[in-house]
Amino acid sequence: MVGALIGGFGLLVASFTNQLWLMVGLIFIVFWGLNTTLPVVLNLALVGYEDVIGTASGLFSFGYYLAISALTYGMSLLHTGSNTRLPLYMIMIVGVMALSYGFGIRSKAV
């Protein structure tokens, strides 16, 4: 998630310079960070559900695609044609993910 946040902030800075290749590279870093995090999170979420792994993974996949649909719809509502909207949206999403992960880790430690 740190990589995704760094890529998101870099993308925000690059959006003011209008350098296409830099923005494409930074979007790659954001998605690399998110796609590296996702399998780890799903693995942790399924601990304790080994006896019903098929149903549990199917439900998590369904929830994942619902979340992706909702986030895509949210971006469509915010889209104005400005280069800065997508980086700000990505930073917000990754920030919420990081906070959720932090609260989850803290609640397990207590």
Side-chain angles (χ1 to χ4, degrees):
M1 282 191 284
V2 172
L5 273 176
I6 290 170
F9 282 113
L11 185 59
L12 181 61
V13 171
S15 69
F16 291 110
T17 64
N18 289 327
Q19 294 185 6
L20 177 65
W21 290 110
L22 181 61
M23 292 176 71
V24 169
L26 289 166
I27 287 174
F28 174 77
I29 291 171
V30 170
F31 284 109
W32 172 78
L34 292 176
N35 289 327
T36 305
T37 303
L38 187 64
V40 175
V41 170
L42 289 176
N43 182 31
L44 292 173
L46 291 173
V47 170
Y49 294 96
E50 289 84 9
D51 54 334
V52 289
I53 195 76
T55 304
S57 64
L59 289 173
F60 277 111
S61 295
F62 177 68
Y64 168 76
Y65 286 112
L66 282 178
I68 293 298
S69 298
L71 292 171
T72 303
Y73 179 70
M75 185 61 222
S76 74
L77 294 176
L78 296 175
H79 181 66
T80 63
S82 171
N83 286 346
T84 59
R85 296 290 181 160
L86 180 64
L88 289 172
Y89 193 61
M90 287 183 176
I91 291 169
M92 181 187 71
I93 289 170
V94 173
V96 168
M97 289 173 62
L99 287 173
S100 300
Y101 182 73
F103 286 130
I105 292 295
R106 187 168 43 179
S107 68
K108 286 187 182 241
V110 173

